[in-house]
Amino acid sequence: MFADRAKIYIRSGKGGDGHVSFRRELYVPDGGPDGGDGGNGGDVIFEVDEGLNTLTDYRHKRKYAAQDGQEGGKRNCHGKSGKDIILKVPEGTVIKDAESGKVIADMSADNRRQTVLKGGRGGIGNQHFATSTMQVPKYAKPGQPAQELEVLLELKVIADVGLVGFPNVGKSTLLSRVTNAQPKIANYHFTTLSPNLGVVDLDGDGFVIADIPGLIEGASEGVGLGLDFLRHIERTKVIIHMVDAASVEGRDPIADIHAINKELSAYNPEIAARPQVIAANKIDAIWDPESNPVEKIRQEFEPKGIKVFPISAVSGQGLKELMYHVKNILDTTDHKPVVFEQEFFPEDMLIQENLPYTVEKSSEEEHTFVVEGPRIEKMLGYTNLDSEKGFAFFQKFLKDTGILEDLKKAGIQEGDTVRMYGLTFEYFH
């Protein structure tokens, strides 16, 4: 069965604890501290796999954990870092926090690999705590805890054009005629169980079209399979409404279009506002040419700016004109792919605690400010500042916690330096 949703539990690795030990060698009295540092915990990484088109694997196994970091050892031995766990998903998978429904990552466009949970940083051994006054430190720092989260994986197919319509209007036949897709075609009164995608090639230039199944009245309220598949239309830029103009099964094509638009509006008004085209299918089966049902559809929708194309998916009549019109619409719309922005930062969970921090002007270096404290150290331990998203989170953290405001109060100026536990930044408004 096609699986486009899965709920899984993920956990990063805990950082290994720092070690407490002292040198014990023959002829070396009162050996100093030599406890090694713990290894970092492994990360939980999501990666796009071009060979996947379903989330079936995540239906069978629900728990995924990266490896914990090893504890530090004697003789300054550094603990081994835990292995990352890499979870492969199809392109178009959106990762959400299961509790809030907020987006953590959208695995599409340029985002092919993203660290969702960072492993805990390893603790430091007692060798680091030796001072002139404390030569035998009997404590080390524990490793930072693991992160854990329940996430919802949702596959939202990546297509330029969404083909919508009630069962048996001929969507699968149309898709097989205009693309390289090979959908199963039959007279089903239920509906196709998975979205079919195909590429329309127009003189070397083309677009991706998806047959979006399951749209029936009440779909946006969860009736039938509708709600399960409405998400697949979220990335599309143009919607083709396909109707049975001949009313072979006694359906009213005008009522069908209004019904589907109502479902789209109920699910997401922005989708219903996107450019639409109507494919009035089965014109070869119209038995009473004088009634001219296509003209009735035109009178209803063309004044609203929705063009109507009479077609026969079986014979191919009118398909070329329809496809070129859709391509013209796509050429005049925004070419940027529809990507869902990150709304939920897992790092936030770890630094919500009201831990202290200090913001001070350096007494040793001119134009330099030092920010320190457990809250800062904890945040830096879980944030990948090398990634664009990690740095965006870091900037948000500075603003939300009031650190930027505190720096201003301390007198920071444009171009001054900010130091945080070995990291150096230049301050800009």
Side-chain angles (χ1 to χ4, degrees):
M1 184 181 168
F2 180 76
D4 59 357
R5 269 167 79 89
K7 193 184 278 189
I8 61 171
Y9 162 87
I10 54 175
R11 176 189 175 277
S12 64
K14 175 193 175 300
D17 296 337
H19 192 69
V20 176
S21 62
F22 299 91
R23 283 170 61 200
R24 291 285 179 267
E25 293 177 41
L26 203 58
Y27 311 120
V28 181
D30 303 324
D34 69 351
D37 301 345
N40 295 331
D43 300 338
V44 178
I45 300 167
F46 281 83
E47 190 173 85
V48 171
D49 184 335
E50 309 287 351
L52 292 177
N53 58 11
T54 173
L55 296 168
T56 305
D57 291 350
Y58 298 102
R59 288 283 184 89
H60 305 303
K61 184 183 171 190
R62 289 201 63 244
K63 293 188 175 181
Y64 297 86
Q67 207 174 36
D68 293 341
Q70 253 181 11
E71 185 185 348
K74 297 177 181 178
R75 299 181 184 174
N76 301 331
C77 283
H78 196 293
K80 192 177 175 185
S81 288
K83 281 185 181 175
D84 298 335
I85 185 166
I86 298 172
L87 303 178
K88 303 285 184 81
V89 291
E91 185 174 8
T93 301
V94 178
I95 303 157
K96 296 180 176 180
D97 169 49
E99 189 179 339
S100 66
K102 290 183 176 178
V103 174
I104 300 170
D106 183 351
M107 306 305 295
S108 63
D110 296 332
N111 192 25
R112 318 307 286 175
R113 181 182 170 101
Q114 184 167 334
T115 300
V116 169
L117 294 185
K118 198 96 176 72
R121 185 173 284 176
I124 54 177
N126 69 334
Q127 57 170 315
H128 296 279
F129 296 100
T131 64
S132 55
T133 54
M134 168 67 77
Q135 294 182 3
V136 282
K138 292 179 180 172
Y139 56 87
K141 199 170 180 186
Q144 289 182 320
Q147 283 185 279
E148 54 185 343
L149 194 62
E150 191 171 39
V151 295
L152 183 65
L153 307 181
E154 282 190 352
L155 178 58
K156 299 176 192 281
V157 299
I158 296 174
D160 303 301
V161 179
L163 185 60
V164 299
F166 281 81
N168 288 344
V169 294
K171 300 199 304 284
S172 297
T173 306
L174 172 72
L175 196 71
S176 67
R177 288 294 303 237
V178 300
T179 75
N180 54 1
Q182 295 178 329
K184 289 178 183 174
I185 299 168
N187 190 32
Y188 294 127
H189 278 88
F190 44 98
T191 185
T192 313
L193 289 178
S194 61
N196 288 301
L197 274 78
V199 178
V200 177
D201 184 10
L202 299 173
D203 306 322
D205 195 7
F207 53 86
V208 179
I209 187 169
D211 166 13
I212 309 294
L215 289 187
I216 56 173
E217 285 177 270
S220 59
E221 295 161 19
V223 175
L225 292 167
L227 193 60
D228 289 341
F229 292 110
L230 272 163
R231 74 180 67 92
H232 293 299
I233 207 166
E234 290 190 67
R235 297 190 199 270
T236 59
K237 296 169 186 170
V238 178
I239 294 166
I240 298 176
H241 279 277
M242 196 156 180
V243 290
D244 173 4
S247 300
V248 171
E249 297 189 352
R251 301 195 63 88
D252 177 354
I254 292 173
D256 281 0
I257 295 167
H258 284 307
I260 284 176
N261 272 336
K262 186 181 171 188
E263 294 307 322
L264 294 177
S265 294
Y267 181 70
N268 184 341
E270 189 199 324
I271 296 170
R274 289 176 193 167
Q276 298 187 4
V277 181
I278 294 169
N281 191 28
K282 304 189 183 179
I283 55 169
D284 51 331
I286 295 173
W287 60 273
D288 181 9
E290 289 184 18
S291 68
N292 201 348
V294 174
E295 196 52 44
K296 288 178 185 172
I297 299 169
R298 279 193 170 127
Q299 286 169 8
E300 177 72 17
F301 294 101
E302 289 202 341
K304 298 170 185 170
I306 303 173
K307 198 157 173 57
V308 178
F309 286 83
I311 66 161
S312 168
V314 172
S315 70
Q317 185 183 344
L319 295 185
K320 189 176 178 183
E321 292 81 358
L322 171 65
M323 292 301 116
Y324 273 102
H325 178 71
V326 169
K327 182 71 175 71
N328 287 337
I329 297 175
L330 286 170
D331 288 344
T332 57
T333 56
D334 189 357
H335 288 281
K336 274 171 58 181
V338 178
V339 175
F340 298 90
E341 291 298 318
Q342 185 167 5
E343 306 165 311
F344 183 91
F345 293 83
E347 300 95 323
D348 262 344
M349 299 184 300
L350 292 152
I351 52 177
Q352 289 296 342
E353 308 160 59
N354 199 17
L355 296 171
Y357 66 85
T358 57
V359 176
E360 293 175 349
K361 192 166 187 177
S362 173
S363 55
E364 299 168 3
E365 296 174 88
E366 210 177 350
H367 304 298
T368 299
F369 293 77
V370 179
V371 182
E372 287 180 332
R375 192 164 195 188
I376 311 300
E377 196 175 4
K378 197 168 188 183
M379 181 274 297
L380 291 173
Y382 287 101
T383 309
N384 180 12
L385 296 180
D386 294 332
S387 77
E388 193 179 328
K389 286 188 170 70
F391 199 75
F393 169 76
F394 171 66
Q395 290 176 306
K396 178 177 176 286
F397 169 81
L398 295 181
K399 185 181 177 186
D400 292 351
T401 48
I403 292 169
L404 287 181
E405 200 54 45
D406 290 342
L407 284 166
K408 287 176 191 172
K409 286 177 186 170
I412 197 164
Q413 298 294 317
E414 186 97 11
D416 284 354
T417 299
V418 179
R419 289 198 193 285
M420 295 183 186
Y421 291 98
L423 294 167
T424 305
F425 305 97
E426 210 167 323
Y427 176 80
F428 292 104
H429 288 303

